[in-house]
Amino acid sequence: MRGSKVGLADLKRLKKDLQAERERAALAQRVAVLKKADTAPVDDMAAFKRTMQSVTPIKQAARVEHKPVAQPAPALRRANALGETPTRADAGVSDGGEITHLLSEGGTAFVRSDAAPDTARNLRRGQWRAGAELDLHGLRVEQARHALLSFLDECQEHGIRCVRIVHGKGYGSQGLEPVLKDKARTWLVQKNEVLAFSEAPEREGGAGALLVLLRQAEGTRK
């Protein structure tokens, strides 16, 4: 009789242990499912990163382009004809004025008083690389002035300090006079944002182009 009682107790304990084992197995299975769900995105991200390692980014230099237009904008034509106030970019800049005494190196360079004396020379030597270019070929004087001044403002906003202005050598103008060549220098001298300019080296346009160094805008300084 005693043996029967012991056997019954063992059976109950065995049944209890079996139930506990099943519960542990079920819990382990749920934990495994949760772990798999948690690690899947990480695995996917790791695979994505491995794939992107073989991708080479495309490098693009900042460039601002202004294409010549056949005719000036109607608003600009009207302002010129009626003598109205020019746009913000043109304000305070005239086409005339004697600037010869401000130029150096035979009239091919200009350095503002608060810039280093050798700034223009260093420009020509390539110390600063031109980040944008403006071609004034085909433009009338009023068009060229507006295009150049707007171009300088835009370059400053984008943090571009060195630019190239192509004004030509005057071979295609009436009387073969380099009108825009002299005008461009006159306009640039009047812009306080212009620290210096120099006639470009031959490989970059020679007497038909200028390299211009702009002040660093307040918003772009680090």
Side-chain angles (χ1 to χ4, degrees):
M1 190 70 176
R2 183 178 177 183
S4 299
K5 289 182 179 180
V6 174
L8 184 57
D10 291 340
L11 183 59
K12 288 182 179 180
R13 187 164 49 253
L14 181 60
K15 184 178 181 181
K16 185 177 180 180
D17 292 344
L18 183 59
Q19 182 65 28
E21 184 64 27
R22 289 177 178 173
E23 291 177 356
R24 284 197 296 270
L27 179 60
Q29 185 175 5
R30 287 197 296 273
V31 170
V33 171
L34 291 175
K35 284 184 176 180
K36 184 176 181 181
D38 289 340
T39 58
V42 178
D43 293 340
D44 291 343
M45 182 57 71
F48 175 75
K49 288 182 178 180
R50 286 196 299 271
T51 301
M52 293 303 292
Q53 286 178 351
S54 61
V55 177
T56 302
I58 299 176
K59 296 182 179 179
Q60 293 183 339
R63 184 177 178 84
V64 182
E65 294 185 358
H66 290 261
K67 295 182 179 180
V69 292
Q71 294 292 335
L76 183 59
R77 288 204 304 269
R78 184 169 60 254
N80 290 328
L82 301 178
E84 297 175 356
T85 302
T87 63
R88 179 181 64 83
D90 298 85
V93 177
S94 65
D95 294 339
E98 178 57 51
I99 66 167
T100 305
H101 63 289
L102 299 174
L103 303 180
S104 59
E105 299 183 26
T108 64
F110 164 76
V111 180
R112 204 165 293 281
S113 59
D114 57 344
D118 60 348
T119 302
R121 194 174 302 111
N122 289 334
L123 258 175
R124 186 177 176 86
R125 291 173 178 172
Q127 180 170 328
W128 294 275
R129 184 177 180 180
E133 179 180 295
L134 173 66
D135 192 344
L136 299 177
H137 279 105
L139 298 183
R140 298 176 181 176
V141 172
E142 63 270 17
Q143 290 176 293
R145 180 184 63 248
H146 180 71
L148 185 147
L149 299 177
S150 298
F151 172 73
L152 295 180
D153 287 346
E154 188 174 349
C155 286
Q156 264 216 313
E157 290 177 4
H158 286 81
I160 301 173
R161 294 204 63 198
C162 182
V163 300
R164 181 165 48 248
I165 307 295
V166 181
H167 48 65
K169 299 179 180 179
Y171 297 149
S173 60
Q174 186 175 5
L176 299 180
E177 291 294 330
V179 178
L180 291 183
K181 178 179 180 179
D182 294 335
K183 293 296 184 185
R185 286 163 168 74
T186 300
W187 299 329
L188 290 171
V189 165
Q190 296 177 71
K191 290 288 286 183
N192 189 54
E193 294 85 352
V194 175
L195 278 177
F197 64 73
S198 174
E199 185 176 286
E202 283 302 321
R203 65 180 182 279
E204 296 184 42
L210 291 172
L211 292 175
V212 183
L213 183 66
L214 302 175
R215 294 185 188 277
Q216 189 172 20
E218 291 293 335
T220 61
R221 292 179 181 174
K222 297 181 180 178

